[in-house]
Amino acid sequence: MTLSIAEVNKIKHNPAVDGLLPAIAHRWSPRAFDGRPVSSADLTRVFEAARWAASSSNEQPWRYVVGVQGSDTYNKIFSTLVAFNKAWAGKASVLILGVASAKTGSGRPNGYALYDLGAATAMLTLQAAELGLATHQMGGYDQQAAREALEIPADYALGSVIALGYQAEPASLANDQLIEREVAPRERKPLHDFVFSAWGTPADLA
Ligand SMILES: Cc1cc2nc3c(=O)[nH]c(=O)nc-3n(C[C@H](O)[C@H](O)[C@H](O)COP(=O)(O)O)c2cc1C
């Protein structure tokens, strides 16, 4: 028996902690997408969220190449995905490649480029959650093929491919392995594993 969207979201949504932003509680990375188009107004909103991310020296090194289903850009991004991702990502209505300028405006190396792209992309995924959209980032793609197909200049570093769209029922996925992952509880390290008062000593937060 498989679960409905509502049932799987109940499992996946973050246990309520007072004061968390609702979008943080609701964001997770489904693989089941229903192919429904995302409006250009909502697409604008998710990139507007990325736009307002903080960045080192306000360099704003992020760039996004957006492919809407049926477009050449979508097909090019899709063609670079590893087989595991191809098995589900083709139902996302938008595929986006995030890249970052590895050089600052004055031509020096920007050591924070990918860091800033990640921050902007986190903002994008939270805004999407706020709009009832699902996102799923992928590192499983051929970077060289993506660089060539999308003509990304050499001084841009490649980040993740982001699938964006509306969530579908887990049962719509292509195989049992994907369905199993779709309904599995999410796991996270406890705070004491990564918040320290001195190196290796858990901070006393409570
Ligand atoms: C940079 C990055 C690369 C990822 N690569 C893949 C991928 O290639 N395929 C995939 O199915 N999920 C991929 N994921 C999704 C992660 O597995 C997922 O975010 C993680 O398990 C946490 O789950 P959550 O996003 O639902 O909280 C990636 C996520 C990130 C941020």
Side-chain angles (χ1 to χ4, degrees), residues 74-181:
Y74 186 101
N75 295 337
K76 282 177 183 170
I77 297 174
F78 183 80
S79 73
T80 69
L81 300 179
V82 298
F84 175 78
N85 290 329
K86 276 187 174 154
W88 58 267
K91 292 231 180 94
S93 66
V94 186
L95 291 176
I96 303 161
L97 174 66
V99 305
S101 172
K103 285 200 183 132
T104 65
S106 52
R108 282 194 290 273
N110 182 356
Y112 286 101
L114 282 175
Y115 181 95
D116 291 343
L117 172 65
T121 300
M123 302 268 279
L124 181 161
T125 64
L126 292 177
Q127 181 64 39
E130 176 71 19
L131 295 168
L133 290 163
T135 52
H136 196 128
Q137 294 185 66
M138 291 166 269
Y141 70 99
D142 182 333
Q143 289 207 353
Q144 196 47 41
R147 189 180 283 288
E148 281 165 23
L150 298 164
E151 300 177 48
I152 310 293
D155 50 356
Y156 283 76
L158 274 68
S160 64
V161 170
I162 308 155
L164 173 81
Y166 289 98
Q167 192 185 342
E169 304 272 333
S172 67
L173 285 162
N175 61 57
D176 287 349
Q177 184 203 17
L178 287 172
I179 294 173
E180 224 167 85
R181 289 188 185 206

